[in-house]
Amino acid sequence: MSARFEEIAWSPTPLGDISLRRRRFPASETDVYEVKLGDEFLMSSLFTAGEIALARLGLAQLPDADLDVAVGGLGLGYTAQTALDDSRVRSLIVVEALGEVIDWHERHLVPLGARLASDPRCRLVKGDFFAAVGDPVGLDPRSPGRRFHAVLLDIDHSPRHVLNPRHAALYQPSGLRTLADHLHPDGVFALWSNDPPDAQFTSTLAEVFAAPEAHVVDFDNPLQDGIATNTVYVARKK
């Protein structure tokens, strides 16, 4: 392997082969970590503004202390770490379908792994977030029926572009109502999307949640020498 590229980990999974790669980014001479599933690039540490904004926007309107937060999707850990950087958060559960991704963090193979694995407020749970939403046990297998002040979701590319067809049901009114049952009154659901704001999905959110908003997150894209965008949807439980 060249010093400018390294495949740190690779594993077959039910969703396809997953790999963790590190490459040297010439423009800044920094290491960039990438996650690839099959032929799709899922995440890069070069682009984390949307994941960070997901946590910040999702927690912005909540009370001043003692927040219990659930995150769907671990990835490289930027949403989880941003939540933990908020001093109001007393507990964080991250539900991740792939044990290999959790292993990367526990073995400190990714930049934020050591911080997440060592924070006593944080627990990484191997599980299917979408199945857990529909299960009476819920998102915390140690505490059946537990509710949260915020659920932050970053798994699919967008409500229209899902990684698995069965995920699509969550983004319909019935799925969103089931998800809302896992929130405290006035709790927040926030969702990351790689697509521009979707008026139809915002309307769907409004059937279940109060005053949903779609926030556009701008960030530099040095690969295209321009500005890229993500969308973060934020909605409060009625």
Side-chain angles (χ1 to χ4, degrees):
M1 289 282 184
S2 164
R4 292 199 169 270
F5 177 83
E6 178 186 7
E7 186 172 72
I8 301 171
W10 173 93
S11 299
T13 79
L15 300 178
D17 295 342
I18 191 166
S19 62
L20 172 65
R21 305 172 172 199
R22 179 175 58 214
R23 68 175 71 245
R24 198 73 172 167
F25 188 57
S28 61
E29 286 300 317
T30 57
D31 287 334
V32 174
Y33 289 77
E34 301 168 339
V35 179
K36 190 175 182 183
L37 182 64
D39 293 327
E40 289 191 78
F41 281 94
L42 292 186
M43 191 171 191
S44 169
S45 62
L46 193 60
F47 308 114
T48 61
E51 289 80 1
I52 291 170
L54 173 62
R56 289 178 176 171
L57 292 168
L59 301 181
Q61 300 180 34
L62 288 170
D64 290 338
D66 297 335
L67 300 181
D68 299 316
V69 179
V71 172
L74 175 56
L76 293 174
Y78 286 90
T79 296
Q81 186 57 58
T82 303
L84 291 170
D85 288 341
D86 189 321
S87 61
R88 299 172 299 161
V89 173
R90 67 179 175 186
S91 75
L92 177 73
I93 282 183
V94 185
V95 182
E96 169 57 51
L98 298 175
E100 293 82 0
V101 176
I102 294 175
D103 181 66
W104 298 344
H105 286 266
E106 292 178 339
R107 293 168 57 199
H108 307 172
L109 298 181
V110 292
L112 297 179
R115 294 174 64 187
L116 291 178
S118 65
D119 193 313
R121 296 172 296 162
C122 180
R123 181 151 47 94
L124 308 180
V125 176
K126 182 181 183 300
D128 183 329
F129 176 88
F130 298 89
V133 166
D135 191 312
V137 172
L139 300 174
D140 184 355
R142 294 185 186 174
S143 181
R146 182 183 179 191
R147 291 188 176 187
F148 296 86
H149 298 95
V151 173
L152 315 175
L153 179 57
D154 177 8
I155 293 178
D156 293 310
H157 296 306
S158 75
R160 293 182 184 268
H161 299 100
V162 295
L163 293 178
N164 187 308
R166 61 183 178 78
H167 294 181
L170 180 75
Y171 306 109
Q172 301 304 313
S174 60
L176 293 170
R177 289 189 187 97
T178 302
L179 185 146
D181 289 340
H182 299 280
L183 290 168
H184 288 298
D186 292 326
V188 167
F189 170 55
L191 172 70
W192 176 91
S193 171
N194 196 42
D195 289 350
D198 184 330
Q200 182 176 342
F201 179 65
T202 304
S203 296
T204 301
L205 277 172
E207 294 184 37
V208 179
F209 294 93
E213 295 182 317
H215 301 264
V216 176
V217 181
D218 298 324
F219 55 93
D220 292 329
N221 185 341
L223 299 181
Q224 298 179 350
D225 194 25
I227 301 298
T229 64
N230 292 157
T231 302
V232 174
Y233 297 93
V234 179
R236 300 196 69 151
K237 185 174 179 178
K238 290 183 179 179

